[in-house]
Amino acid sequence: MVPLDSAVNIGFPAIVGHFGLAIPTIQWVVIAYVLTQTSLMLSFGRIGDMLGYRRIFLFGTGISTVAFAACALAPSFAALLGARIVQGIGAGLILSCGPALATSLFPEAMRTRILARYMTMFGIGWALGPSVFGLLVDRFGWSAVFSVRAPIALAAFVLGWTLPRRPRSAPEPFDAAGGALLALALSCLLLALNRLRLPGADTALFAAIAAAGFALFYRRERHFVRPIIDFDLFRNGDFTVVNAMNVLINLAAFAIMLLAPFYLSRIPGLSLPVAGLVLAVSPLGVVLAAPVAGRLALSCAPRLIVLSGCGLCSVGLFGISLSGGAAEIPVLAVSMAIQGFGLGLFQVAYFDVVTATIPVHDRGVAGALGMATRTIGNVMGATVLMLVFQLLLGSGGDGETFQAAFQATFRIAAAIPAGLILLDAVSRRRR
């Protein structure tokens, strides 16, 4: 359900036309959803650790069923945004408990293999978004990106009742005030990032509120009996670094979903469904890489898999920068496959490190942390990479200027995972 939201990008032009919107307004369809999902995810992970992942999954799938139907039937743009907020709540509940729920059903020795299968399914959903829904939007209109997912969510809700119940445990306190501070800080951080392209007083205000919110959240969590997240974990340098790497590699990877649609739209005669199939190549790389990463983890250190993933991501992103016109779509597709394969290796190894470091009874927080850092990286990528692209594009809109800006932006994106490998080498040498 959740990675299928990549389909919404395909429906943007149809949504703009249906509601008579100015093009920049469409960003709120993404902001309303991502802001809600990300700001609540860690708190939902903590609640899942307290109440059981099955229960949180059922709440998430039930809310999502209602939200998808509400989005598809929205009579106005305001109603659509309200439904997207509800959808963000459902997605936050599902993502916060997903990895923890999957791993809780199997012995701990199978943890890495189960995480690999989880990421495989995530990649399949991500690939189906732009490919299948390109056809559906072309045939049924923008509402298909929501209406088709309502029965999927309902099926997941019904099947969720077959999952085993967790034995009741002693009640634990939940830091509601801390959760509110975290939600405020994360929301303002994402809004500040979104406003970087057109900075003003509101950008500084959002940044200041985010900084104050994080400071107050940190101070409160240091003294709470059962904090939402234990900051002592970040004393482990490797743990801190791999979380920062997850933000940055997803920042770089978002260049594909951000800029590749514009590149494909400029190719004469390329239909929307075919463009969707091309965009699906990167997540298909994730699908292929996830089980490979699970097998490699049996004999290789997670750090080596993480660095291998960074290297392949860098090669793939650089390969995309070599793409030219329609004749070079095979170069684009192969490069996207390499990038996706690298991202798949990285994500499985990353989740393995995080779930191995955080105690078993806090697996909900572990999964939520992994998904939250990924989303923050995507939002940063949407802001930073678009800013870079616009600066390179300047006032020119001709084909050659666009092509030069496109290629340069992808080379900058390719430098990010390459830089992570260099930083790791330097930090290891200093130790």
Side-chain angles (χ1 to χ4, degrees), residues 6-276:
S6 57
V8 175
N9 296 46
I10 294 290
F12 279 172
I15 294 172
V16 167
H18 179 81
F19 291 109
L21 306 173
I23 290 176
T25 309
I26 197 66
Q27 67 177 320
W28 289 101
V29 172
V30 177
I31 292 172
Y33 172 73
V34 171
L35 224 64
T36 306
Q37 174 197 131
T38 309
S39 63
L40 297 174
M41 207 179 300
L42 279 167
S43 294
F44 287 158
R46 176 74 186 101
I47 294 171
D49 290 328
M50 294 167 53
L51 301 181
Y53 310 124
R54 174 183 179 273
R55 186 177 299 180
I56 298 302
F57 181 79
L58 288 171
F59 275 121
T61 50
I63 289 172
S64 294
T65 303
V66 175
F68 289 136
C71 285
L73 298 172
S76 66
F77 187 62
L80 176 61
L81 293 184
R84 284 287 279 176
I85 290 172
V86 178
Q87 188 193 335
I89 294 172
L93 287 162
I94 293 168
L95 290 183
S96 69
C97 72
L101 178 59
T103 55
S104 70
L105 301 173
F106 297 89
E108 183 66 10
M110 294 180 65
R111 185 189 70 240
T112 307
R113 278 185 288 166
I114 298 306
L115 288 171
R117 292 178 186 179
Y118 180 84
M119 291 309 302
T120 298
M121 297 307 297
F122 204 90
I124 290 172
W126 187 17
L128 289 175
S131 55
V132 172
F133 282 87
L135 293 167
L136 292 174
V137 170
D138 204 36
R139 177 76 182 272
F140 301 107
W142 67 272
S143 62
V145 300
F146 302 110
S147 60
V148 172
R149 284 187 286 167
I152 297 174
L154 180 60
F157 175 74
V158 172
L159 290 171
W161 289 94
T162 68
L163 294 170
R165 295 175 181 271
R166 190 181 78 170
R168 289 186 176 273
S169 56
E172 296 180 2
F174 174 70
D175 186 8
L181 284 171
L182 180 61
L184 175 66
L186 283 170
S187 296
C188 288
L189 171 63
L190 296 179
L191 286 170
L193 289 171
N194 176 260
R195 297 297 298 170
L196 280 178
R197 275 178 277 173
L198 296 168
D202 56 345
T203 310
L205 177 62
F206 286 135
I209 295 174
F214 282 124
L216 291 171
F217 174 70
Y218 174 80
R219 182 178 178 182
R220 181 173 180 84
E221 296 306 285
R222 296 296 294 173
H223 299 94
F224 201 79
V225 179
R226 287 287 283 129
I228 292 174
I229 186 165
D230 184 0
F231 283 98
D232 286 339
L233 293 166
F234 292 94
R235 292 182 178 179
N236 180 333
D238 290 338
F239 180 78
T240 302
V241 168
V242 79
N243 278 285
M245 290 175 76
N246 194 42
V247 172
L248 292 173
I249 201 166
N250 279 287
L251 185 161
F254 199 73
I256 293 176
M257 291 303 293
L258 183 69
L259 298 177
F262 293 102
Y263 168 85
L264 294 170
S265 69
R266 287 174 169 260
I267 298 176
L270 192 70
S271 67
L272 182 63
V274 173

Side-chain angles (χ1 to χ4, degrees), residues 253-425:
F254 199 73
I256 293 176
M257 291 303 293
L258 183 69
L259 298 177
F262 293 102
Y263 168 85
L264 294 170
S265 69
R266 287 174 169 260
I267 298 176
L270 192 70
S271 67
L272 182 63
V274 173
L277 288 172
V278 174
L279 290 174
V281 173
S282 177
L284 282 175
V286 174
V287 173
L288 294 173
V292 174
R295 289 193 294 270
L296 287 175
L298 299 175
S299 56
C300 296
R303 172 178 166 268
L304 295 178
I305 303 174
V306 162
L307 295 178
S308 298
C310 287
L312 289 172
C313 278
S314 182
V315 170
L317 290 169
F318 183 79
I320 293 171
S321 77
L322 302 177
S323 301
E328 296 184 12
I329 285 183
V331 174
L332 176 69
V334 170
S335 299
M336 288 171 67
I338 293 170
Q339 181 274 337
F341 196 90
L343 186 62
L345 291 179
F346 178 92
Q347 293 285 11
V348 172
Y350 164 73
F351 271 102
D352 192 32
V353 170
V354 171
T355 54
T357 304
I358 295 179
V360 174
H361 58 267
D362 286 338
R363 281 282 163 81
V365 171
L369 178 64
M371 290 297 178
T373 52
R374 176 183 177 276
T375 305
I376 291 170
N378 287 339
V379 173
M380 290 179 67
T383 299
V384 174
L385 294 174
M386 182 56 79
L387 181 61
V388 169
F389 177 73
Q390 288 176 334
L391 288 172
L392 293 168
L393 188 63
S395 58
D398 59 273
E400 289 185 6
T401 305
F402 174 88
Q403 192 65 31
F406 176 86
Q407 291 177 339
T409 303
F410 268 91
R411 283 168 190 164
I412 291 170
I416 294 173
L420 293 176
I421 297 173
L422 292 174
L423 284 174
D424 179 82

